[in-house]
Amino acid sequence: MIEELKNAPNTMVGFRLVSDTTKDDFDLIVLPSIAELIKRIDKLNYLLVVEHPIKNFAIGAWTKDALIRLNQFSKLNRMALVSNTKEIGKFFETFSKEIPGEFRLFDIDELDKAISWVSEHHALSKEEALQENEKAYD
């Protein structure tokens, strides 16, 4: 199941994976929020919080499908993954090269920092972002 982050800044959408997640969760919860944000601010700032080890939910096909579908949004501006699970971070980092816009990884204890960055309340240079990504999952 996916739940939308409450009280997130209005310049972003954010979601937390709380249990097994399906394609229907993505279609019914994530896509409508994305469409509304793009309609409102003409870009997509997206945050995903994953607190569970990779074995606790079906990430494989669902994640690939989600990333392919996110890639179809030419308005993708910033995307952040917040997780302490290294396997998930490495998986997303691999696919981030296929996604337009900026991508960053954050540890779970950096959720506020991730929200600030995704919502564009904190800007990092491209070099700073690359250095932060390298540190996150070394």
Side-chain angles (χ1 to χ4, degrees):
M1 174 177 217
I2 299 174
E3 61 183 33
E4 192 160 3
L5 294 180
K6 304 296 182 204
N7 303 317
N10 66 357
T11 56
M12 63 168 279
V13 292
F15 303 92
R16 180 182 314 271
L17 298 180
V18 293
S19 63
D20 286 351
T21 302
T22 67
K23 181 183 172 300
D24 287 342
D25 291 332
F26 188 79
D27 291 343
L28 298 173
I29 297 168
V30 176
L31 288 180
S33 293
I34 287 173
E36 190 278 325
L37 180 68
I38 291 173
K39 184 177 180 180
R40 191 166 28 85
I41 69 168
D42 198 36
K43 60 184 162 185
L44 174 57
N45 295 320
Y46 180 87
L47 180 130
L48 182 63
V49 179
V50 181
E51 297 173 317
H52 307 289
I54 204 166
K55 62 185 174 196
N56 286 353
F57 60 94
I59 193 166
W62 174 87
T63 304
K64 287 179 186 175
D65 181 57
L67 289 171
I68 288 167
R69 294 170 82 182
L70 280 174
N71 197 26
Q72 293 173 355
F73 291 101
S74 61
K75 303 287 184 173
L76 186 57
N77 182 49
R78 288 187 174 184
M79 180 176 172
L81 173 68
V82 180
S83 178
N84 281 343
T85 307
K86 293 182 190 271
E87 295 85 9
I88 294 171
K90 288 177 183 177
F91 181 82
F92 273 85
E93 194 170 37
T94 300
F95 284 98
S96 72
K97 294 168 182 62
E98 307 292 324
I99 297 173
E102 298 176 73
F103 177 80
R104 296 240 357 246
L105 300 169
F106 293 88
D107 284 328
I108 209 76
D109 61 350
E110 297 179 307
L111 179 58
D112 290 340
K113 184 178 177 181
I115 290 171
S116 179
W117 180 78
V118 168
S119 65
E120 298 185 288
H121 289 115
H122 173 73
L124 288 179
S125 71
K126 190 144 186 123
E127 294 79 26
E128 289 173 314
L130 289 171
Q131 289 172 353
E132 291 284 328
N133 279 349
E134 287 174 9
K135 284 191 277 183
Y137 290 97
D138 280 339

